[in-house]
Amino acid sequence: NGTNVGIGNTNTSYTLDVTGTGRFTGNLNAAAFLGNLYTNTWYAGSGSTLSLRTAASGVIADFSPTNSNILGFVGINGSTASGAALSVYDQTSGSEQLRLCNSTGSGYWGIGRENNITGNLYFNSGGSLKVVFAASGNVGIGTSSPLGRFDVYRAAGLSGTAAIVISSGESSPARNWSLNTEVVDAGDFAICVSTTTGGTPSPTGANAKLRILSDGTLLIGGASSAGAYNLSLGNATANTYYQVR
């Protein structure tokens, strides 16, 4: 068809157009520049290796059913040359650049660099944010905007879940401890302990051994904010500064 050649077809707009399966027993060479290479089905025979080469001995990549190897730097989804063994570029704000999936893809962990503005690195599970490494150096768990070097965020409705747990591997009577907020009163901070060896130090009033209220009141030993204080410091309501009971 003029300067075009069709094999297995009579109407082609390509320099070489093969309809059906092609076979090359030798190398398939591009003299200078290899443009777009695409197909609906591209495979190496069973048990064999599919190689990309710049010359007979210049292997760029080998693909086989059991082992694949790529030599040099590789860039994915980017328009600039890769500066590392593997560079994955983010073209969409907030998109994941890597997913670690189960066999069906229904459960996964996603890893991504947020965007060109913040540059945060985040990890999510099934699309739900879990950990953020901010470009500022701050680390957030459960929050995309950590307020300090290490920020653990406990969302509303998770009052029964400890924020930070310090576990012990010792035998009885060893206990596990936790650091928490919003345990009994709004705005309080509490250190809680488990009731059994290896147990969960749930953030409850019964498990709280030390609480600091938002007004500065300090409660130790399971004291209640209702007035039965073991120790109270700076309680403006009771007009006392130090009280032991």
Side-chain angles (χ1 to χ4, degrees), residues 154-165 178-184 192 200-205 207:
R154 191 176 68 181
L158 295 178
S159 57
T161 302
I164 298 178
V165 174
S178 64
L179 307 179
N180 312 273
T181 59
E182 306 286 337
V183 174
V184 178
C192 300
T200 301
S202 301
T204 64
N207 292 341

Side-chain angles (χ1 to χ4, degrees), residues 120-136:
N120 295 342
L121 174 66
Y122 63 89
F123 295 77
N124 68 66
S125 177
S128 175
L129 177 67
K130 300 302 180 184
V131 182
V132 168
F133 292 87
S136 63

Side-chain angles (χ1 to χ4, degrees), residues 11-207:
N11 184 14
T12 178
S13 57
Y14 298 95
T15 304
L16 176 60
D17 188 352
V18 180
T19 300
T21 301
R23 177 187 180 192
F24 294 85
T25 58
N27 296 326
L28 177 61
N29 299 319
F33 174 76
L34 180 62
N36 296 327
L37 179 61
Y38 58 92
T39 180
N40 292 329
T41 304
W42 181 24
Y43 63 92
S46 176
S48 61
T49 298
L50 176 65
S51 296
L52 300 180
R53 303 169 180 262
T54 57
S57 60
V59 177
I60 299 175
D62 285 333
F63 301 93
S64 76
T66 57
N67 185 34
S68 298
N69 182 46
I70 299 176
L71 302 179
F73 290 174
V74 176
I76 298 177
N77 203 32
S79 59
T80 59
S82 173
L86 176 62
S87 295
V88 183
Y89 299 87
D90 182 11
Q91 301 295 340
T92 305
S93 176
S95 68
E96 299 159 350
Q97 293 158 290
L98 179 64
R99 281 189 178 185
L100 306 176
C101 307
N102 61 13
S103 59
T104 63
S106 58
Y108 67 88
W109 275 85
I111 304 173
R113 182 182 186 274
E114 188 174 6
N115 52 51
N116 292 329
I117 299 176
T118 64
N120 295 342
L121 174 66
Y122 63 89
F123 295 77
N124 68 66
S125 177
S128 175
L129 177 67
K130 300 302 180 184
V131 182
V132 168
F133 292 87
S136 63
N138 295 344
V139 178
I141 296 180
T143 175
S144 59
S145 302
L147 301 178
R149 285 309 186 195
F150 184 61
D151 186 351
V152 179
Y153 177 76
R154 191 176 68 181
L158 295 178
S159 57
T161 302
I164 298 178
V165 174
I166 303 173
S167 301
S168 172
E170 300 296 330
S171 57
S172 180
R175 296 291 186 267
N176 298 328
W177 292 79
S178 64
L179 307 179
N180 312 273
T181 59
E182 306 286 337
V183 174
V184 178
D185 300 294
D188 69 356
F189 169 79
I191 299 178
C192 300
V193 65
S194 63
T195 57
T196 60
T197 300
T200 301
S202 301
T204 64
N207 292 341

Side-chain angles (χ1 to χ4, degrees), residues 204-224:
T204 64
N207 292 341
K209 299 306 177 183
L210 183 148
R211 284 202 299 132
I212 303 175
L213 306 187
S214 59
D215 64 359
T217 298
L218 177 63
L219 308 175
I220 297 178
S224 170

